[in-house]
Amino acid sequence: MAQELADWSELQYDLLVLIARRLNLIEDYLNFGTVCKSWHSVPTKNNFNNDLSRAPWLMLADEEGNSIRKFFSLYNGMILNKRIPKASRKRCMESMGWLIMVGEDEGEISMLHPFSGVQIELPHQNTTVDYESHQTGWLMSFIRKAVLSASPSHTSDYLLMVIEGGMRFLSFWRPGDVRWTRVTWEGINRRCFTDLIYFNGQIYAVDYSGNLLVCDVADVVGSKPTKGHIVAQVPLDPENGLDESYIVESLGSLFVIVRNGVLFRSLRDDSDRIPLTLLPEEVEDDGIEEELTYGTTIFHVFQVDLAAGKMTETRELGDAAFFLGANASISVQASQFPGIKPNHIYFTDDFFESYLSYEEGGGLDMGVFNLANGSIQPHYNGVSLSRFCPPTWVTPTLY
């Protein structure tokens, strides 16, 4: 007689809860609820440890490049297929597991948690100060970077800070605000910002001159100038300059990372050629007569000494690995996640001009940089390029 197979759908609810609470990987937890109808009710936030440290996932677009299709885990190589219709034809940035989305046609802004589905509507970009004078031609590029001070999943006392207005201004939004509040710097000339972070109750930002600036949110009152100052400056090499920069916190210290090679440049040789096609209007409008290319050539990492007011270049991050791109810059301890290499920088393509300049869209310039020897391992094969959702790092959280 054939042995009767167990019906896993009839397992007692209390037993399923015990099993679920032993799952530490969010991908296992999400898949747990897809087994059958009776298992679907078990994965709730009360039955899962959402506070565990997690390695970022790579968020990828669909084949058409119009929306989000799947997430890839470097930790275990698992691919989670999950379409997110609410992100369709919207530019997506990321912070603390939340997507900050800007619409293509109207420029509307919202936050979306990709796994819980919770969405928070934000004031329109036209509520920023003097919007008419600083709006961008491409509405989705008005906000350059967006960073949360704390997760909306855990508290209502948080800030969403953004670089806006063609990278010239910092603004923030608190829950309940009907418009964006702009940080007006006292005694500091206008500059273009590249990245920002909320650290020890203050906003730190880095600009294209390599300056690290700081201000206290409590000092921002209405339109009055805010007392801020330059903390330190990247000791730039005059020959190489600074194409892009980031700021990241790792084990209580701040680091500023300089990335070069990401702007358009003339071809040096055939090995510099990229498999993308410039849009005809780009060639006609800009009068381009030579073949152009772009792509990361090197990173420089500087550790910030806030007390001394200086930065020192380092090629040793210890156990840390950095994840950079259109996300809020992330640091993780590699020893906690097999598959992630210490002293490496994982980067995605955040050169916005490529999104609009090429028929295929953006996302080609991504890979892993070995800080010790300066080598780059490209990782763009099989990735769908996109004008809306190029590959982006996302910190996975259940809610």
Side-chain angles (χ1 to χ4, degrees), residues 109-177:
I109 309 171
S110 62
M111 282 195 296
L112 174 70
H113 192 281
F115 302 116
S116 71
V118 174
Q119 188 166 358
I120 301 173
E121 298 298 331
L122 302 172
H124 195 276
Q125 57 184 257
N126 62 16
T127 65
T128 55
V129 177
D130 199 15
Y131 174 74
E132 298 298 327
S133 300
H134 304 296
Q135 62 180 313
T136 53
W138 188 41
L139 294 179
M140 288 195 296
S141 68
F142 182 78
I143 291 181
R144 164 74 182 213
K145 202 76 176 273
V147 175
L148 286 162
S149 65
S151 173
S153 302
H154 300 147
T155 179
S156 59
D157 183 17
Y158 66 90
L159 299 174
L160 176 65
M161 304 168 292
V162 299
I163 297 173
E164 48 93 353
M167 300 181 291
R168 288 171 289 184
F169 305 105
L170 301 183
S171 291
F172 63 86
W173 171 85
R174 294 186 180 96
D177 290 351

Side-chain angles (χ1 to χ4, degrees), residues 300-344:
H300 295 280
V301 177
F302 300 87
Q303 186 166 6
V304 181
D305 186 334
L306 293 175
K310 66 177 184 179
M311 301 188 200
T312 304
E313 186 167 10
T314 179
R315 302 188 71 83
E316 179 54 58
L317 300 178
D319 189 39
F322 292 168
F323 290 78
L324 308 177
N327 55 288
S329 303
I330 303 167
S331 172
V332 302
Q333 297 302 296
S335 60
Q336 298 181 22
F337 307 102
I340 294 179
K341 301 175 182 179
N343 206 39
H344 282 64

Side-chain angles (χ1 to χ4, degrees), residues 235-308:
L236 290 174
D237 179 350
E239 294 185 2
N240 295 322
L242 182 159
D243 288 354
E244 187 61 272
S245 60
Y246 308 85
I247 181 170
V248 63
E249 181 271 331
S250 181
L251 297 179
S253 295
L254 290 181
F255 292 82
V256 171
I257 302 96
V258 171
R259 177 179 181 178
N260 283 335
V262 296
L263 304 181
F264 284 130
R265 62 179 184 271
S266 301
L267 282 178
R268 293 173 296 193
D269 51 48
D270 285 345
S271 65
D272 214 19
R273 183 171 282 110
I274 56 178
L276 299 178
T277 307
L278 275 173
L279 291 167
E281 55 265 32
E282 290 293 317
V283 178
E284 295 172 2
D285 294 345
D286 297 335
I288 298 174
E289 298 180 355
E290 59 182 340
E291 189 171 355
L292 299 178
T293 189
Y294 81 102
T296 300
T297 55
I298 194 168
F299 285 91
H300 295 280
V301 177
F302 300 87
Q303 186 166 6
V304 181
D305 186 334
L306 293 175

